[in-house]
Amino acid sequence: MSDSWYKVDNVAKVFLATATPQDPRVFRISCTLNEEIDPDTLNEALRSTAQEWPQFQVTLHRGLFWHYFESTDQLPTAQPENKAPCAPLYTPERRNRLIYRVTYFGSRINLEMFHAITDGNGGLLYLKSIVRNYLALRHPGELDSVPSPNSASAGDLAQDSFRTFYGGTKRDTVAKKVKVYRLHGLRLPYNQQQFFEGHLSAKQVLDRCHALGVSMTSYLSASFMLAIYQDMPALERSKPISISLPVNLRNYYPSETARNFFNSVSVTHTLTDADTLETVAPVFDAKLREILKPENIRAQMDEYEKLEHMPGIRPVPLFIKNVTVKLFTKLENRYVTAVVSNMGRVSIPEELKPHIHSFVAFSSSKTLFTVVCSYGDDLVLGTASALRSTAILQRFYRGLTKDGMDVTLYATEVEK
């Protein structure tokens, strides 16, 4: 990085203000290899990868008016996995440490990051760099020529793309938001979350999507809507269901930043007892396509960023800003039922494919958050749930099975 410190971006400010023991705002991306992990080699690969990505070698601090990252000479060390997925990474009392961790178990490498430092796209690139360097060390001569996923300059990686691409666009009209059905019920005790890993055939799912004329995101999200509706109390079934979907803004702007650069959109729909996947998925898909039009995404990004450019905001003390952000986020959560984040297909160089078995991703949540990614024909749904009841996920996967999908499901153990 060109400087030893820099301010956090606008999305990071939300994560910092709203992180709690129940939802520490941590995401996890894992890669399972076709061989057991050698700890010494992994640490050698991790140290060299850290030098390629100075963006992530920072500690997080509180200023009077803002949080900021500061470069550090600390070296990351991979440890055996001994915590639950997405365990907390940042607390204000322990500031002088890296805000990501790398662990391993068997043939799996896990990268967990505090969401203030980057989003899933940046985390995936970092993990792919670690895996590439690890495999090159384990197979000298065979994989030395495989290029690193990191092709951007240090300046591009550290860019605050929200600020760079802010254009001051104003929306012509803003749709009025309506309160939606919120997931409720008993939470898991001791700030626990349960993690579910569902494996499907990407080809089976895509064939079904083509038959319905919808995207994979719409198919899976509509399936979740139906599962949620079937679990809703009868007196609440008139309420709409809203699925929040993070959108990678790098698909709309020429950015190579490794920092956060995404916005979330929501598709809201009121279901009836007569609805099926054949009726819900096309409606969901049409609404999503409209929302994802470039002009709408750009207007939403500018609307989100404009607060940073308002006179009088910068000198407001940090603790007041945090209280305001917490309140704003709490109000916005009234319009979200569940989250589905589709990271898409994980692409890697052909030379590495014989050595890699699968990828999976999770994000901590106060309710229900599913991350979708695929590698080869392996489509993986990683769901984090803070709810004691697993009824929605049971209905979701039963629905997929009934729709012709082959499903393999794993779950972590929790205390109830």
Side-chain angles (χ1 to χ4, degrees):
M1 290 178 293
S2 58
D3 298 308
S4 62
W5 68 273
Y6 58 93
K7 290 193 297 181
V8 301
D9 56 69
N10 264 355
V11 171
K13 292 172 185 176
V14 175
F15 291 128
L16 281 160
T18 58
T20 65
Q22 294 80 21
D23 180 4
R25 299 295 199 169
V26 172
F27 70 83
R28 168 187 176 119
I29 307 175
S30 302
C31 176
T32 300
L33 305 182
N34 291 322
E35 60 186 64
E36 290 287 308
I37 301 300
D38 178 73
D40 292 337
T41 305
L42 177 57
N43 272 303
E44 184 179 353
L46 181 56
R47 286 191 293 270
S48 64
T49 308
Q51 295 177 358
E52 299 173 20
W53 293 84
Q55 164 71 22
F56 300 136
Q57 316 317 312
V58 294
T59 53
L60 184 56
H61 303 271
R62 296 166 61 103
L64 180 60
F65 303 110
W66 57 67
H67 286 92
Y68 62 94
F69 293 120
E70 186 172 22
S71 300
T72 178
D73 293 329
Q74 293 182 51
L75 293 176
T77 303
Q79 301 288 343
E81 185 176 11
N82 58 7
K83 297 181 179 180
C86 299
L89 271 164
Y90 171 75
T91 56
E93 297 77 22
R94 303 183 65 182
R95 295 172 295 176
N96 295 311
R97 63 175 183 176
L98 295 172
I99 49 179
Y100 73 89
R101 72 169 69 94
V102 175
T103 61
Y104 57 89
F105 177 83
S107 56
R108 185 178 66 225
I109 301 173
N110 309 304
L111 171 66
E112 296 181 319
M113 290 186 147
F114 182 40
H115 221 319
I117 194 174
T118 189
D119 54 24
N121 183 82
L124 180 59
L125 287 174
Y126 192 44
L127 177 62
K128 290 198 290 187
S129 294
I130 295 170
V131 171
R132 180 267 171 206
N133 290 340
Y134 173 83
L135 290 173
L137 290 171
R138 291 290 288 171
H139 304 274
E142 178 186 347
L143 303 175
D144 293 346
S145 61
V146 177
S148 169
N150 177 13
S151 59
S153 68
D156 287 339
L157 291 173
Q159 181 188 78
D160 182 349
S161 291
F162 288 105
R163 178 174 292 274
T164 299
F165 296 106
Y166 173 70
T169 306
K170 294 183 179 179
R171 292 190 185 185
D172 294 333
T173 58
V174 179
K176 182 180 179 180
K177 292 184 177 181
V178 296
K179 290 185 180 180
V180 302
Y181 177 70
R182 300 288 310 283
L183 300 180
H184 48 74
L186 294 175
R187 268 38 177 184
L188 290 166
Y190 316 118
N191 297 327
Q192 293 179 100
Q193 296 182 60
Q194 190 166 19
F195 296 87
F196 300 84
E197 184 177 320
H199 291 258
L200 295 83
S201 164
K203 183 179 184 306
Q204 282 186 344
V205 174
L206 285 173
D207 286 347
R208 184 67 174 121
C209 293
H210 293 155
L212 291 170
V214 301
S215 69
M216 181 182 289
T217 299
S218 296
Y219 173 79
L220 294 173
S221 299
S223 298
F224 264 112
M225 273 191 169
L226 285 165
I228 292 169
Y229 178 78
Q230 293 159 7
D231 193 61
M232 291 169 66
L235 291 177
E236 296 191 78
R237 288 192 169 185
S238 61
K239 292 182 179 179
I241 297 171
S242 179
I243 303 296
S244 177
L245 304 123
V247 176
N248 181 5
L249 292 176
R250 298 169 186 83
N251 295 329
Y252 295 85
Y253 299 90
S255 170
E256 294 184 283
T257 184
R259 301 174 70 175
N260 285 298
F261 195 42
F262 74 95
N263 268 352
S264 291
V265 302
S266 293
V267 175
T268 303
H269 185 55
T270 303
L271 281 71
T272 69
D273 292 344
D275 271 317
T276 64
L277 196 56
E278 285 75 10
T279 61
V280 177
V283 173
F284 190 103
D285 194 71
K287 290 183 177 182
L288 181 59
R289 290 180 185 276
E290 178 65 26
I291 292 170
L292 294 181
K293 286 182 177 179
E295 60 269 26
N296 293 333
I297 293 296
R298 292 191 176 103
Q300 180 180 340
M301 197 280 278
D302 283 356
E303 185 175 332
Y304 183 81
E305 177 67 14
K306 71 180 181 181
L307 291 175
E308 190 72 8
H309 298 263
M310 292 178 62
I313 293 294
R314 293 185 182 183
V316 175
L318 180 60
F319 76 92
I320 296 179
K321 291 176 181 173
N322 281 345
V323 171
T324 304
V325 170
K326 285 181 182 178
L327 178 60
F328 175 78
T329 303
K330 185 176 182 179
L331 293 174
E332 285 295 301
N333 285 341
R334 295 182 302 173
Y335 309 113
V336 175
T337 306
V339 183
V340 176
S341 176
N342 191 351
M343 293 180 62
R345 182 173 62 89
V346 179
S347 60
I348 58 171
E350 287 293 328
E351 299 91 332
L352 299 183
K353 289 183 178 180
H355 303 279
I356 296 177
H357 181 267
S358 62
F359 288 87
V360 63
F362 299 98
S363 182
S364 64
S365 173
K366 286 185 178 179
T367 52
L368 206 62
F369 194 127
T370 298
V371 183
V372 183
C373 68
S374 65
Y375 171 70
D377 190 48
D378 187 28
L379 177 66
V380 187
L381 280 60
T383 300
S385 173
L387 305 172
R388 284 180 183 246
S389 173
T390 60
I392 291 174
L393 286 174
Q394 289 179 30
R395 294 179 189 277
F396 172 73
Y397 281 108
R398 284 172 185 164
L400 291 178
T401 301
K402 186 178 179 181
D403 206 38
M405 304 299 125
D406 297 324
V407 175
T408 302
L409 184 62
Y410 305 94
T412 59
E413 294 183 357
V414 292
E415 293 184 45
K416 293 187 178 182

